[in-house]
């Protein structure tokens, strides 16, 4: 056998990890029996770190153990790999090299005890670790939690396991305890993302990250009053560095970490006096990071930080010059528009709404509705921008039809709203009575064409069901004339109406039932 070291103390745990993963307990027990009965013979090592051996059983089996690539090891038995003969050869080799063969037989138990021992030791050091140390510790602590096809089940398993830390975690300073809790959230978030990149998941599985993200952001919000950056600047700096690193690794256009980043600034940093110093420092970090990372999340973060500094034009330039600008999702702009609105930067909001318009010309009604809400808010403070708003809404047709209808109604532009209803083929029966009541109160005369056209339409269909609808409309039309204090106009119209349709007996009957005729 070669005199060169075949196994070192650093390689031994890796061998045990492979055994724990590739072998079951029954196979290892049978291999240990072969080893103890000295049935492994003719063990030799080649220069390529390949161990050749023979295992004498009822038959003779030849084993080839490849130390540098254990998964490629082979045996001449029917199983060929991960068999009791390979296990016995590993135990024989370990024994000759001075390592306990029993650790191979009990590899899973040994590794668990070793991990527990490391965790116990690390627990005492948690208060002195930086946040990267916390993440490494959490990764080790949760290593026994295996991913599930259902991300929801996996998340709950991680939650429950990490909650056990509450019973054994040493006393932190109050602020460190809060940040350690945050990093438990961030750890689970990272594990979800890792699994999403490794597996093809269903809608229900992939939606887990959005539900979890919403929960985490809500938790950040609830802790706003408990954070003081002046007393926790070191943890703030470390956490921002961690989230920046996560953003730099974003691929595609998911922007999950960007949401965490903006929430951290919104709820934990900007409410305090330390924010100005941190903003200048953060901008430098992001500029440096953008030079080495093409991640769109980093560009979005730069824009957000500039908005926090009141530099809306520079923020737009930072976003527009990124390589992924044309593929940016509408949801990302909503976050940035919201920041402009919260900062009451109304002129900047109008500019951003105009420039980001192409990203909202989509069928996704919810995002388009939110975009329209920002326009309405901006116009309420910058009335001169209303014409620009309507121009954009017209460009969005047909996607914006419902929005145009809603805004016309909200602004009390009754004539334009009623004209749109006629174009859409609606009539007064299409709406609840309460929808038309404000018009009846403010401008009842505008309703006359709407009602008259609808009445003529239903009568022209010439069936009893539509005659009932026409009668219902006539009764409401009579009230409109009374609102106008012009009952005589109603009398003249109705008399002519009855005479014009005097031959439609079914209509006449419905008018009598409706007590419009005696």
């Amino acid at each position: 056998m070669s005199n060169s070291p075949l196994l070192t103390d650093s390689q031994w745990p890796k061998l045990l990890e492979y055994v724990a993963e590739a072998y079951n307990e029954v196979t290892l027990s049978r291999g240990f029996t072969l080893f103890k009965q000295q049935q492994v013979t003719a063990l030799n090592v080649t220069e390529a770190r390949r161990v050749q051996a023979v295992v004498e059983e009822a038959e003779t089996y030849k084993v080839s153990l490849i130390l540098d690539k254990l998964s490629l090891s082979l045996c001449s038995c029917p199983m060929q790999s991960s068999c009791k003969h390979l296990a016995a050869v590993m135990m024989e080799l370990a024994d000759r090299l001075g390592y306990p063969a029993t650790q191979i037989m009990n590899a899973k138990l040994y590794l668990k005890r070793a991990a527990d021992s490391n965790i116990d030791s690390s627990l005492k050091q948690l208060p002195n670790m930086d946040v990267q140390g916390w993440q490494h510790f959490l990764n080790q602590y949760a290593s026994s939690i295996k991913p599930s096809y259902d991300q929801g089940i996996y998340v709950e398993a991680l939650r429950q396991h990490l909650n056990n830390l509450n019973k054994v975690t040493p006393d932190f300073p109050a602020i460190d305890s809060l940040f350690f809790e945050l990093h438990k959230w961030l750890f689970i978030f990272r594990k979800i993302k890792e699994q999403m990149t490794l597996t093809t998941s269903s809608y229900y599985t992939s939606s887990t990250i959005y539900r979890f993200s919403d929960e985490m952001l809500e938790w950040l919000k609830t802790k706003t009053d408990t954070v003081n950056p002046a007393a926790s600047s070191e943890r703030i700096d470390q956490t921002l560095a961690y989230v920046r690193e996560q953003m730099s690794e974003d691929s595609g256009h998911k922007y999950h970490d960007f949401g965490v980043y903006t929430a951290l600034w919104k709820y934990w940093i900007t409410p305090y006096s330390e924010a100005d110093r941190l903003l200048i420092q953060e901008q430098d970090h992001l500029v440096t990071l953008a030079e080495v990372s093409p991640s769109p999340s980093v560009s979005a973060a730069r824009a957000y930080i500039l908005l926090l500094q009141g530099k809306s034009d520079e923020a737009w330039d930072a976003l527009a010059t990124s390589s992924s600008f044309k593929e940016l999702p509408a949801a990302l702009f909503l976050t940035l528009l919201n920041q402009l609105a919260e900062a009451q930067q109304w002129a900047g909001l109008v500019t951003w709404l105009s420039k980001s318009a192409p990203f909202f010309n989509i069928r996704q009604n919810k995002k388009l509705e939110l975009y329209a809400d920002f326009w309405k808010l901006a116009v309420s403070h910058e009335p001169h921008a209303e014409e620009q708003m309507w121009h954009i809404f017209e460009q969005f047709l047909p996607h914006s039809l419902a929005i145009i209808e809603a805004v016309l109604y909200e602004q009390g532009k009754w004539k334009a709203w009623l004209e749109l209803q006629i174009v859409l083929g609606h009539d007064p029966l299409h709406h609840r009575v309460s929808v038309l009541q404000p018009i009846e109160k403010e401008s009842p005369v505008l309703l006359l064409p709407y009602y008259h056209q609808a009445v003529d339409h239903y009568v022209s269909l010439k069936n009893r069901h539509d005659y009932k609808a026409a009668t219902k409309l006539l009764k409401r039309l009579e009230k409109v004339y009374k609102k106008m204090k012009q009952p005589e106009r109603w009398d003249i119209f109705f008399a002519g109406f009855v005479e014009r349709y005097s031959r439609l007996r079914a209509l006449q009957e419905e008018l009598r039932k409706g007590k419009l005729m005696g």
Side-chain angles (χ1 to χ4, degrees), residues 239-284:
T239 300
L240 284 173
Y242 172 80
V243 178
R244 282 197 301 270
E245 180 184 355
Q246 293 298 303
M247 285 195 300
S248 72
E249 296 174 359
D250 275 350
S251 59
H253 298 281
K254 299 301 183 184
Y255 298 95
H256 298 305
D257 293 290
F258 175 69
V260 176
Y261 181 81
T262 57
L264 193 61
W265 276 96
K266 180 177 181 179
Y267 300 126
W268 284 28
I269 303 176
T270 54
Y272 300 96
S273 59
E274 282 288 295
D276 290 340
R277 178 188 67 81
L278 289 170
L279 281 170
I280 296 171
Q281 177 180 304
E282 186 66 12
Q283 186 61 26
D284 291 339

Side-chain angles (χ1 to χ4, degrees), residues 172-184:
F172 278 112
I175 196 65
D176 277 2
S177 180
L178 178 65
F179 274 89
F180 185 67
E181 191 66 24
L182 168 60
H183 277 271
K184 288 197 286 186

Side-chain angles (χ1 to χ4, degrees), residues 83-225:
C83 62
K84 62 182 179 181
H85 309 109
L86 276 163
V89 171
M90 280 190 282
M91 293 174 192
E92 177 67 26
L93 178 67
D95 184 65
R96 296 189 186 189
L97 296 175
Y99 291 97
T102 53
Q103 287 186 9
I104 294 178
M105 186 181 73
N106 300 296
K108 291 181 181 178
L109 179 61
Y110 174 80
L111 291 172
K112 184 179 183 304
R113 287 176 176 172
D116 290 344
S117 176
N118 289 336
I119 288 170
D120 289 341
S121 175
S122 297
L123 273 170
K124 300 175 184 178
Q125 300 301 318
L126 282 176
N128 302 318
M129 292 181 185
D130 60 15
V131 300
Q132 289 290 355
W134 286 350
Q135 288 292 327
H136 178 75
F137 166 80
L138 292 171
N139 202 57
Q140 184 182 40
Y141 180 76
S143 61
S144 62
I145 307 300
K146 300 303 179 185
S148 166
Y149 176 78
D150 187 329
Q151 288 274 36
I153 294 174
Y154 181 47
V155 167
E156 286 310 308
L158 286 171
R159 278 188 202 268
Q160 293 178 18
H161 193 62
L162 293 187
N163 283 342
N164 293 331
L165 281 173
N166 297 335
K167 306 172 186 176
V168 294
T169 302
D171 290 336
F172 278 112
I175 196 65
D176 277 2
S177 180
L178 178 65
F179 274 89
F180 185 67
E181 191 66 24
L182 168 60
H183 277 271
K184 288 197 286 186
W185 282 93
L186 294 174
F187 170 75
I188 297 176
F189 194 53
R190 175 166 61 84
K191 299 305 286 187
I192 300 173
K193 290 184 298 176
E194 287 176 358
Q195 289 308 307
M196 288 183 69
T197 61
L198 295 174
T199 60
T200 302
S201 55
S202 67
Y203 164 79
Y204 298 102
T205 300
S206 61
S207 65
T208 299
I209 194 166
Y210 295 101
R211 292 196 302 271
F212 185 82
S213 177
D214 288 344
E215 288 181 44
M216 177 166 51
L217 300 188
E218 184 60 30
W219 180 85
L220 279 164
K221 182 178 180 180
T222 63
K223 300 298 180 181
T224 301
D225 295 336

Side-chain angles (χ1 to χ4, degrees), residues 6 18 29 39 47 72 100 145 155 162 170 190 240 266 296 309 319 324 352 382 411 436 497:
L6 295 176
Y18 166 75
S29 178
Q39 291 177 268
E47 292 297 327
L72 298 180
I145 307 300
V155 167
L162 293 187
R190 175 166 61 84
L240 284 173
K266 180 177 181 179
Q309 295 173 300
L319 201 61
S324 58
W352 270 69
E382 301 280 336
Q411 293 184 346
L436 299 179
F497 178 83

